[in-house]
Amino acid sequence: AVNILTYKRLVSTSKDIKPSVINLQYCTTVLISLIVNQLYRHCILHTGLTLSAIISWRYALASFACLLMVFVNIMTQKAIKRENPAIFLLLSAADIIFALILQNIFTTKRSNLFALLGSALVICSVLIIAVAKIRNDRSARRRLKQTGDPLIVDDAERKNEKC
């Protein structure tokens, strides 16, 4: 959620930076951190990356997941630009519910009471914030329409479309 909010703030404050540049910087940062991790493993821990590890199915699966994350990041940026951030935040909080459901279906480890309570608190806080944000946006839009100034209403609608 913090990543999404900082991205939204960055895009709304600086009109000169394109989302593709932000995505490129994100991917470059991940690549640099992976290189630093490999140097740490090779130079300090003396456990290098061998050819058998690269050819293994785990390495191939991890590489595919990393490439898939680039696509996911691009789609996330597009969703933030098109949808109300409060609604997007609600949908992204559903990840917690899906993670708990999938954990209970596919693993033998069951969720304990603390995990369920913590996820419920997170979801409730997201719901409270999102509903308050949606209410404030609707009441502000209603007040603007009541003033009757078409320029203000058009500006507010354009601002809402860009966000």
Side-chain angles (χ1 to χ4, degrees), residues 4 75-77 79-80 83-93:
I4 292 167
M75 292 298 117
T76 301
Q77 290 175 356
I80 291 171
E83 190 60 55
N84 188 347
I87 294 173
F88 184 78
L89 184 63
L90 278 173
L91 293 176
S92 63

Side-chain angles (χ1 to χ4, degrees), residues 95-117 119:
D95 290 348
I96 298 170
I97 298 170
F98 294 138
L100 284 173
I101 291 171
L102 292 174
Q103 175 189 355
N104 289 325
I105 291 174
F106 293 113
T107 64
T108 57
K109 186 176 181 182
R110 300 292 176 226
S111 301
N112 60 10
L113 182 64
F114 292 119
L116 295 173
L117 181 65
S119 61

Side-chain angles (χ1 to χ4, degrees), residues 9-18 22:
R9 184 71 174 161
L10 180 66
V11 168
S12 65
T13 56
S14 60
K15 303 294 182 198
D16 299 337
I17 299 176
K18 296 196 180 284
I22 296 171

Side-chain angles (χ1 to χ4, degrees), residues 3-4 10 12-13 32 37-38 48 53 58 78 98 102 105 108 119 129 142 144 147:
N3 183 24
I4 292 167
L10 180 66
S12 65
T13 56
I32 289 171
N37 182 31
Q38 288 302 320
R58 289 182 178 176
K78 295 226 179 261
F98 294 138
L102 292 174
I105 291 174
T108 57
S119 61
I129 292 170
R142 232 182 276 129
L144 284 175
T147 59

Side-chain angles (χ1 to χ4, degrees), residues 66-85:
C66 288
L67 289 175
L68 190 64
M69 283 305 295
V70 173
F71 176 73
V72 168
N73 194 19
I74 291 170
M75 292 298 117
T76 301
Q77 290 175 356
K78 295 226 179 261
I80 291 171
K81 283 176 63 177
R82 292 178 185 224
E83 190 60 55
N84 188 347

Side-chain angles (χ1 to χ4, degrees), residues 7 30-31 39 52 77 105 147-148 151 153-154:
Y7 171 76
V30 169
L31 178 66
L39 289 174
S52 63
Q77 290 175 356
I105 291 174
T147 59
L151 294 177
V153 173
D154 288 342

